[in-house]
Amino acid sequence: MMSNLFQTMPLFRSKLASCDTSDGPKGQTWQERYPVIRRFEIQKHRTVEDRVWVSHGDGVYDITDFLHAHPGGHEKIMMAAGGVIEPFWEMYPFHKEDAVYAMLAPYKIGTLHPDDKIDPSDLPDFSDLQKDERHRSKTLEIKQQFPLCAETKKEYLTDEHPITPHTEAFIRNHNRTPEFDESFEEDFELELEMKINNKALPEFFELFEDFELKSYTLEDLKQLKAHSVMAQISCAGNRRSHTRKDFPNVKGINWDIGAVMNNKYKGVLLRDLLLDAGFTKRDFKNPEFQKLNLIAHGMDTDF
């Protein structure tokens, strides 16, 4: 719904009389550096086959070759296909930094006609939805306000704290923090789903074509054997601020040493869950079965 809204935004009429700026080498004007492209032309480019175009500010960009390099996945960036980027960057303001602008720049193919530029006052306001006050502790060092990211203080990463206090555990969000209420336990459901490419694994597909996986309530999971494990969890960008001393162009949140924690976790082993769902130990030994990947979908969702 949101993507359709942004893709079909009306032409924004500006009262600009001209855009004759000398921003190019040797006094080139914007007309001479890039072709002028109208909004309706951009809207024709919404698929890979037609090339994916978007606009940002007064620029038009062909981002087709960047789709699978997008850190948030190509499905997300395709929401802006044939439309404008600004509403999505208002939704996720961490895009509005020099490193991201530098990534976009090489894909510029044209200049947006001044009559089609967006009036900033027409952009959606997500500020109320971006307020996240659910910090675990006031001692956490905030690295990004939205989505909320904060790192553990150094004193909790010493021998005195072999187990990181749960209130001091670092926060790494890519979206809004999920909300829970008193009905959470009653409404919770874990759904298992298996998708197999019948062309890539035809024999395996036939074996499990009619296989029905179970769903689990929280009470169902509590009936299975629970195990406790100690594990370290770390963000891949931990100590990025140190890396930037030698490689200043490294992109991402400027973590120090606190995007890591060590803790105990209790729950059902995935192996036990799959056995209970109907798989067998023989399945686990099947080379074709071992080619499958597990993708876990959390409770954090888009707006």
Side-chain angles (χ1 to χ4, degrees):
M1 178 177 175
M2 186 179 294
S3 60
N4 291 335
L5 170 66
F6 295 153
Q7 288 171 353
T8 58
M9 292 180 97
L11 302 182
F12 291 89
R13 296 294 171 184
S14 171
K15 295 182 180 179
L16 293 176
S18 66
C19 193
D20 187 19
T21 57
S22 299
D23 59 351
K26 297 182 180 180
Q28 282 185 324
T29 64
W30 62 273
Q31 294 100 326
E32 294 169 330
R33 291 192 66 193
Y34 295 103
V36 179
I37 300 176
R38 297 301 304 255
R39 176 75 60 199
F40 70 87
E41 296 178 83
I42 300 173
Q43 292 174 343
K44 296 177 183 178
H45 294 268
R46 299 182 179 180
T47 66
V48 173
E49 291 74 22
D50 295 327
R51 305 293 296 181
V52 178
W53 290 9
V54 296
S55 70
H56 179 267
D58 61 359
V60 179
Y61 303 85
D62 181 345
I63 59 171
T64 312
D65 298 331
F66 178 72
L67 295 179
H68 289 281
H70 181 232
H74 72 279
E75 297 91 351
K76 296 296 185 185
I77 200 171
M78 281 298 291
M79 293 173 68
V84 294
I85 291 178
E86 283 91 336
F88 298 97
W89 285 13
E90 290 300 315
M91 184 188 301
Y92 298 108
F94 56 80
H95 287 91
K96 295 189 285 186
E97 59 178 53
D98 291 343
V100 178
Y101 295 137
M103 293 173 68
L104 181 64
Y107 299 97
K108 186 170 183 178
I109 59 170
T111 299
L112 185 65
H113 193 284
D115 284 351
D116 295 343
K117 288 185 64 176
I118 288 180
D119 185 336
S121 64
D122 289 313
L123 291 173
D125 182 5
F126 295 109
S127 57
D128 287 344
L129 294 174
Q130 292 167 346
K131 293 178 181 177
D132 197 334
E133 305 297 337
R134 285 160 287 183
H135 302 176
R136 297 192 181 105
S137 168
K138 292 182 179 180
T139 65
L140 289 172
E141 183 178 344
I142 305 300
K143 291 295 183 179
Q144 179 176 278
Q145 288 291 344
F146 182 83
L148 180 61
C149 293
E151 72 172 64
T152 303
K153 288 290 187 180
K154 298 176 182 178
E155 53 262 36
Y156 293 106
L157 301 175
T158 64
D159 292 342
E160 295 180 12
H161 297 278
I163 301 296
T164 309
H166 72 276
T167 56
E168 306 302 328
F170 80 94
I171 299 173
R172 177 61 173 110
N173 281 335
H174 292 82
N175 221 308
R176 298 178 68 195
T177 304
E179 296 183 16
F180 305 96
D181 54 30
E182 59 277 2
S183 64
F184 168 72
E185 292 194 17
E186 182 179 339
D187 297 337
F188 176 86
E189 183 179 23
L190 175 64
E191 297 182 77
L192 302 181
E193 183 181 22
M194 183 164 61
K195 295 182 179 180
I196 303 175
N197 187 325
N198 62 333
K199 294 183 179 179
L201 301 170
E203 296 182 3
F204 196 64
F205 177 79
E206 292 179 7
L207 183 62
F208 289 98
E209 184 176 6
D210 299 321
F211 189 77
E212 294 186 9
L213 290 171
K214 297 171 63 175
S215 294
Y216 294 85
T217 65
L218 196 56
E219 284 302 316
D220 292 334
L221 293 176
K222 289 180 178 179
Q223 300 307 309
L224 300 176
K225 183 179 180 180
H227 296 259
S228 293
V229 297
M230 183 183 293
Q232 180 198 77
I233 294 180
S234 174
C235 175
N238 192 40
R239 303 186 69 162
R240 183 177 284 123
S241 62
H242 301 214
T243 304
R244 281 190 170 134
K245 294 177 181 178
D246 294 317
F247 303 95
N249 294 326
V250 172
K251 301 173 179 64
I253 293 175
N254 202 41
W255 296 108
D256 191 12
I257 67 171
V260 61
M261 65 178 177
N262 192 50
N263 224 313
K264 289 184 178 180
Y265 301 88
K266 182 178 180 180
V268 179
L269 296 180
L270 176 61
R271 173 184 178 278
D272 293 344
L273 187 65
L274 294 179
L275 287 172
D276 186 79
F279 291 102
T280 67
K281 294 180 180 180
R282 183 177 180 180
D283 293 329
F284 295 167
K285 296 179 181 179
N286 187 327
E288 299 302 309
F289 186 90
Q290 295 173 4
K291 294 179 182 179
L292 300 180
N293 294 311
L294 172 69
I295 302 177
H297 294 278
M299 295 186 65
D300 51 330
T301 57
D302 284 321
F303 286 66

